[in-house]
Amino acid sequence: MVMSSASIQPFTSRRMGIYNPFQQVSLWGDTFKGDSSPNTGASTVLQVDAGMHNKSEIISQESMGPSRNDEGSNSADKVKRRLAQNREAARKSRLRKKAYVQQLETSRLKLAQLEQELEKARKQGMYGQSALDTSHGGFSGNVNSGIAAFEMEYAHWVEEQNRQICELRSALQAHITEIELRMLVESGLNHYHSLFRMKADAAKADVFYLMSGVWRTSTERFFLWIGGFRPSELLNIIRPQLEPMTDQQVLNVCNLRQSSQQAEDALSQGMEKLQQSLAQSIGIESVIAGNYGSQMAAEMEKLEALEGFVNQADHLRHQTLQQMSRILTTHQTARGLLALGEYFHRLRALSSLWAARPREPA
């Protein structure tokens, strides 16, 4: 399955003059009245016969009545059970939503308290400008509330992902119905969609913070690529968990991985071109021009392209997940999401072990 070229349209400023590699990439390609007789005697006989015939039909219908009633009763019981199950599922969903909203409200209050404490500390001179820049990945002066909100949201996102991993594992072991499993799969895909939305908001607040990966653990940062993971690498990780696959599925997965790699290369080349253009402009050209103020204003416009690159990279990650769910069956997709979630969980666990490792005294 090859993705359409419209899926990758990176941001390119007209004033940048940066080579756009995405024009060379093709991705994705995307689909129950009786005759009366004058003879009175014969008519009498016919009436008697008809009466007996009708009587036999009535007897037959009465004998069949209880069977049909039984069938109707069984069908009604099934409908009642299904409605009861739906009500229970809806109740649990409301409870989960209520708990999540409560968590967000608690996080909002904690965030407001944190901002007040940091503002108070800044006014008292407890932290210098350089300390703020170091501890907050480039924050200047005041704390960036957009980034602080993202960090709180991301912490809740990780907690919810861990809960979904446990739910998926239990569901696969319990062999639940296809419909119930499909609901869990859709919930897992939507959860990743929420992450990409959160990252887009964070990129608007501070794209350098998002690309630096300081919001992730140290081991996760080791695999970072434009603010996240390479989709082609994640396909390689979950591929063994998808067996058995049909020949057509194998072909489609291979095509998807190849398309992802092409898009990754295009984005990487675009980033390199941006870096080269920026380095030349603020280096040699700025010295020759001698107009520092106007030159810096021009370079600020080039830096705005970074937000477009991050959004395009997350768009590629989102589309790869969506394409995988179309190629695979529901059970295969559930196993793939489980493998993906456990992979991220183990990376975070490895980071915790690394940070807590014993160190020899200097």
Side-chain angles (χ1 to χ4, degrees), residues 60-75:
S60 176
Q61 292 175 359
E62 290 177 349
S63 64
M64 294 174 61
S67 177
R68 294 179 179 176
N69 290 336
D70 290 343
E71 293 178 359
S73 177
N74 291 336
S75 177

Side-chain angles (χ1 to χ4, degrees), residues 155-208:
H156 288 299
W157 187 91
V158 172
E159 293 177 359
E160 176 64 15
Q161 187 187 44
N162 292 334
R163 187 195 66 78
Q164 289 187 359
I165 291 174
C166 295
E167 196 171 11
L168 266 178
R169 186 185 299 110
S170 300
L172 290 171
Q173 293 174 351
H175 305 291
I176 63 176
T177 65
E178 185 82 5
I179 296 178
E180 292 172 321
L181 189 59
R182 168 54 60 182
M183 292 175 62
L184 293 178
V185 166
E186 291 296 334
S187 178
L189 293 173
N190 289 334
H191 192 56
Y192 281 101
H193 176 71
S194 298
L195 174 62
F196 301 140
R197 175 192 55 78
M198 290 159 45
K199 291 177 64 180
D201 293 338
K204 294 177 182 179
D206 190 343
V207 68
F208 288 104

Side-chain angles (χ1 to χ4, degrees), residues 109-317:
L109 295 175
K110 290 181 179 179
L111 174 61
Q113 182 181 1
L114 177 63
E115 289 179 345
Q116 291 176 358
E117 292 176 355
L118 289 173
E119 180 67 16
K120 181 180 179 180
R122 186 185 67 83
K123 291 180 178 180
Q124 293 176 350
M126 293 177 61
Y127 300 103
Q129 180 69 34
S130 59
L132 278 173
D133 289 343
T134 302
S135 62
H136 293 287
F139 292 178
S140 57
N142 295 327
V143 176
N144 191 323
S145 59
I147 294 303
F150 169 77
E151 289 181 341
M152 300 292 289
E153 272 193 300
Y154 181 68
H156 288 299
W157 187 91
V158 172
E159 293 177 359
E160 176 64 15
Q161 187 187 44
N162 292 334
R163 187 195 66 78
Q164 289 187 359
I165 291 174
C166 295
E167 196 171 11
L168 266 178
R169 186 185 299 110
S170 300
L172 290 171
Q173 293 174 351
H175 305 291
I176 63 176
T177 65
E178 185 82 5
I179 296 178
E180 292 172 321
L181 189 59
R182 168 54 60 182
M183 292 175 62
L184 293 178
V185 166
E186 291 296 334
S187 178
L189 293 173
N190 289 334
H191 192 56
Y192 281 101
H193 176 71
S194 298
L195 174 62
F196 301 140
R197 175 192 55 78
M198 290 159 45
K199 291 177 64 180
D201 293 338
K204 294 177 182 179
D206 190 343
V207 68
F208 288 104
Y209 163 86
L210 194 67
M211 292 186 63
S212 68
V214 296
W215 48 283
R216 290 187 179 271
T217 61
S218 56
T219 311
E220 288 177 302
R221 289 199 297 271
F222 182 68
F223 298 96
L224 206 63
W225 172 79
I226 313 185
F229 292 82
R230 290 181 178 268
S232 59
E233 292 181 356
L234 297 182
L235 288 175
N236 291 331
I237 291 169
I238 69 175
R239 174 69 172 79
Q241 307 298 325
L242 306 179
E243 296 293 349
M245 292 196 299
T246 65
D247 294 339
Q248 186 62 47
Q249 284 180 322
V250 172
L251 178 61
N252 290 338
V253 170
C254 290
N255 289 337
L256 179 59
R257 183 169 58 241
Q258 183 179 3
S259 298
S260 297
Q261 289 174 339
Q262 291 174 352
E264 292 165 10
D265 292 341
L267 283 169
S268 297
Q269 291 173 13
M271 287 286 292
E272 291 176 2
K273 292 292 183 180
L274 176 61
Q275 290 174 341
Q276 293 173 5
S277 175
L278 189 62
Q280 292 174 359
S281 298
I282 64 177
I284 299 175
E285 294 181 5
S286 62
V287 173
I288 296 176
N291 191 346
Y292 182 83
S294 60
Q295 190 68 27
M296 289 300 100
E299 303 315 314
M300 284 292 293
E301 294 186 2
K302 293 183 180 181
L303 289 179
E304 291 176 358
L306 288 175
E307 183 180 340
F309 279 106
V310 171
N311 291 336
Q312 285 293 326
D314 278 344
H315 179 69
L316 175 60
R317 287 183 270 263

